[in-house]
Structure formats: structure tokens, C-alpha cells
Amino acid sequence: MKLPGQDAIARQADEHLVTHRVKLPRKVVEHPIRQVLKRLSMALVVLVVTALIVYADRDGYNDNAGGGLTLLDAFYYATVTLSTTGYGDITPAGDAARLTNILVVTPLRVLFLIILVGTTLEALTERTREEWRLTRWRSTLRDHTVVIGFGTKGRSAIRTVCATGLKKEQVVVVDPSSKVVDAATAEGYAGIVGDATRSEVLKRAEVHKARQIIIATQRDDTAVLVALTARQLNRGAKIVATVREEENAPLLKQSGADAVITSASAAGRLLGLSVLSPSAGMVMEDLIQQGSGLDIVERPVVKAEVGKTPREVADLVVSVIRGHRVLGYDDPAVGRLELTDRLITIVRKTPATQVAPDIRPMPPMPRNNGRAE
């Protein structure tokens, strides 16, 4: 595989180098600038209303500079009064003007201060709340899943994993596009904008505490660099990656990936199978789609199945996992099932049925004499 030159990698990193700020999922709220503009508009309305009230009763006010109150004087008085400055050069002299100040101008002054001070307090409170959420998120995040690249492949992969019971709070998405990360947070995932080939970005995603890492980048060379960096930070995590070209799969495994899926070859084989046998292609497509029809699940052996052969199990067993070996259902080495074994089975699911990896799926797929009907 040909990796791009160091200059190209540096340019790409500079293009993707942003704040690397963690974005936690949150409810859709109004834009902060729009909120501030709305508050300022409300304050301006209060100021205008106060000035008009003063100007309407201008004969009841005394101006030390002499002469009657003009509209400009009314706005000046409203401004210094609402801001609690109070120079005293213009004062209410008549009883009606003083009563108006008590009953109208004073409540408007309080409202004016609430609008301006409330905006500042709300901004500070929101920032403090966000920092608290981020600190709490970092302290509680353990054994989570990190998804590098939230394109079609990354999105489908994490939805498949979440369909088995993984909570969205246990997923962190890393992508160089802020729009993609915003889409991820809108779906309930935490997101980080940045280049995943950089260790500081992966550290913000708490990769060193992750249980599994999904690499679904657009480029094979990027996937290799991400796998190297992730494996350096976390020696025990399970890393699954996808590549476009099959010739790059061995290099990605050498970089630390536990499993590598070749997207182009897999799609090509499915196309060829569909040409040779459309029915077989439909079955394979059904197995790939998550949530309905046929699904492949991994589960432990239950006590009632210990001592039986794979053909005697109610579910359709495809393979048996014994230790670190994956044995076919017809492998003589399987013999009788043991309690420590795990089974890879094909089950029939409906959208309302959720299958977790450690729970025996129900209902089982019908069998007839050890063969699926």
C-alpha cells in the first residue's frame, strides 16, 4: 500500500485541526447570539416605553438645565434611571410624575436589570453546567465504544451494536467534520471534532479506557494510522476496522486491528452471489440488515444445552467458539457442547425483538431433523 508523503499528511492534519472540543448530546436550543439579540431587543423596548411615559408627563419633571423636557431629555432620563445611575439633573417634581415613577418606572427598572443581568448570569450558568457535564462524563466513562468516522459505514456499525443493548451514552464519535459530529450528537452520541490520527484527539475520546474501537474512515491509509495510534493508547481494546481494498487488510491487522472488513470485496461478492442465485443474495442481505428477518447473534451455551451436539440445539448453530478457536458446527473437534462455549447462531427477529449478545435469543428458528426448513 502506498502511503501519501509526510507533507500531504501534514496538510490534511492542518485542515482538520480544530478545537477538538467534546460535544455532548443535548436538547436543541436557540442559538446563543439569537438569545442575546432577543434580550437586547426586550431591553430596548423597555427603554422606549419608559421614555415615552416620561415624555407624556414632561410637565411634572424638573430639569436643572432649565427649559421644558424634550424627547431627548426623556430618553436621557429613562436611560440613567433604568441603569440606576441617577445623576439627579432631571427629577420628578409633580405628584403625578412621582406616582408614575413609583408604580411604573420602578418596575420597568427592575425588569430592565433582570433582562441584562439575567443574560449574563444565564451565559455563565450555561458554561458552568456544560463544564460540569463534561467533567462528570469523563469521570463515568468506562468500557465504552469509540467510532472513528461517522459516515455510512460507521453509522450502520454503531446502530447494529446499539441494537444489541449498548446505550448511546457509551458511544463516542470522532470525525474531522463538525457537521458530521453535530449529526452524531443529534442522535444522542457524544462527539469530538478532530483528526483521529492524532493521539490528543483520541485521548479526548478516552480511548485508553474504551472496550472496543470501530474504525470506519474514508481512506485506507488513515485507517492504518488510526489503528496504530489507538493500539498504542489501548493494548486491550478490541479494534475492528474497514478498508476499501483487500490488499490493505494485512497491513491494517499488523497495525493492531483484531478484525478487518473489506467493504469493496464484500459488496462485490454479494453482487456476484445475487447474479448466480438471487434467492441466496436475498438471504445474505437479510442477514446483513439488523433488526428484522434473519440475524446472526453470539450467545453463551445454557445449562440445558451442555452435552448436546450443535445439531441438537434448538437454534440454528453456525459455529462454536471454544477458547480462542472458532469451530464450524460440523467440525469433529466440537464433539459435545461445554458450558464455557459460545454459539454463533442464526435467529429470526422482528423489529420489536431485541437480542443482546449474552441473552439466548427467542424465538428460535424452526428446525427439522437438524436442518433449517
Side-chain angles (χ1 to χ4, degrees):
M1 184 185 74
K2 296 182 180 179
L3 294 175
Q6 295 294 330
D7 294 339
I9 297 178
R11 285 196 302 270
Q12 182 183 10
D14 291 338
E15 291 175 357
H16 292 164
L17 184 59
V18 291
T19 58
H20 303 160
R21 185 169 61 89
V22 179
K23 294 184 178 181
L24 299 180
R26 56 184 300 177
K27 296 181 180 179
V28 179
V29 295
E30 196 174 11
H31 196 278
I33 296 180
R34 184 175 298 177
Q35 291 184 3
V36 173
L37 292 177
K38 183 183 293 186
R39 297 292 180 88
L40 290 177
S41 300
M42 295 171 60
L44 184 60
V45 170
V46 173
L47 178 63
V48 171
V49 170
T50 305
L52 293 178
I53 292 175
V54 173
Y55 184 72
D57 192 23
R58 55 187 177 276
D59 294 336
Y61 287 82
N62 181 32
D63 187 357
N64 294 336
L69 239 65
T70 64
L71 184 60
L72 178 61
D73 295 332
F75 272 97
Y76 167 75
Y77 174 78
T79 302
V80 298
T81 300
L82 293 180
S83 61
T84 68
T85 303
Y87 292 114
D89 49 352
I90 298 178
T91 57
D95 294 339
R98 293 179 177 179
L99 185 62
T100 302
N101 267 261
I102 295 174
L103 300 179
V104 179
V105 176
T106 299
L108 288 176
R109 180 189 302 118
V110 175
L111 179 60
F112 185 83
L113 293 176
I114 289 176
I115 292 174
L116 294 185
V117 178
T119 302
T120 304
L121 291 178
E122 183 176 351
L124 294 176
T125 303
E126 181 65 23
R127 183 174 181 179
T128 303
R129 185 187 301 113
E130 191 68 19
E131 290 293 335
W132 180 82
R133 288 184 64 206
L134 183 58
T135 302
R136 183 174 179 273
W137 174 77
R138 290 189 181 280
S139 62
T140 58
L141 195 62
R142 295 287 188 282
D143 296 331
H144 58 289
T145 300
V146 178
V147 183
I148 312 297
F150 200 64
T152 302
K153 293 178 290 185
R155 187 179 290 106
S156 299
I158 199 57
R159 285 177 179 174
T160 300
V161 177
C162 288
T164 64
L166 179 68
K167 297 181 179 179
K168 291 185 176 182
E169 293 80 4
Q170 288 294 106
V171 177
V172 181
V173 174
V174 180
D175 197 279
S177 173
S178 59
K179 293 182 179 180
V180 172
V181 172
D182 289 339
T185 55
E187 294 188 23
Y189 309 116
I192 298 176
V193 181
D195 184 1
T197 61
R198 295 176 173 268
S199 58
E200 62 266 23
V201 177
L202 294 182
K203 288 179 181 179
R204 289 183 177 272
E206 305 292 326
V207 165
H208 56 285
K209 297 187 293 185
R211 173 180 294 181
Q212 47 201 11
I213 303 170
I214 299 175
I215 302 176
T217 57
Q218 299 296 326
R219 297 169 55 96
D220 291 357
D221 55 339
T222 304
V224 172
L225 294 175
V226 172
L228 284 169
T229 308
R231 183 54 73 193
Q232 183 181 16
L233 295 175
N234 193 329
R235 297 291 182 181
K238 182 179 181 180
I239 300 179
V240 179
T242 176
V243 292
R244 292 179 178 270
E245 302 298 333
E246 193 169 0
E247 62 181 6
N248 298 329
L251 181 58
L252 195 54
K253 287 186 177 180
Q254 294 176 8
S255 302
D258 298 296
V260 180
I261 307 299
T262 307
S263 57
S265 299
R269 284 192 290 269
L270 183 57
L271 286 173
L273 180 61
S274 299
V275 170
L276 297 175
S277 174
S279 299
M282 290 176 59
V283 173
M284 289 301 299
E285 186 177 3
D286 189 13
L287 288 172
I288 294 175
Q289 294 179 350
Q290 177 76 18
S292 62
L294 300 176
D295 273 346
I296 297 180
V297 298
E298 178 184 335
R299 66 171 179 83
V301 173
V302 298
K303 292 183 179 179
E305 297 170 340
V306 175
K308 294 183 179 180
T309 64
R311 294 182 179 271
E312 295 173 340
V313 177
D315 297 336
L316 180 59
V317 178
V318 178
S319 300
V320 177
I321 303 176
R322 180 167 294 169
H324 298 286
R325 297 184 301 166
V326 180
L327 307 174
Y329 72 95
D330 57 348
D331 194 324
V334 174
R336 301 287 176 174
L337 295 177
E338 302 175 1
L339 189 59
T340 55
D341 292 340
R342 296 185 67 85
L343 303 179
I344 297 179
T345 63
I346 297 178
V347 298
R348 183 171 299 279
K349 286 181 55 180
T350 62
T353 306
Q354 182 176 353
V355 179
D358 294 332
I359 300 177
R360 187 170 183 265
M362 293 296 290
M365 185 174 180
R367 296 175 61 92
N368 185 16
N369 296 328
R371 295 178 180 271
E373 293 181 353

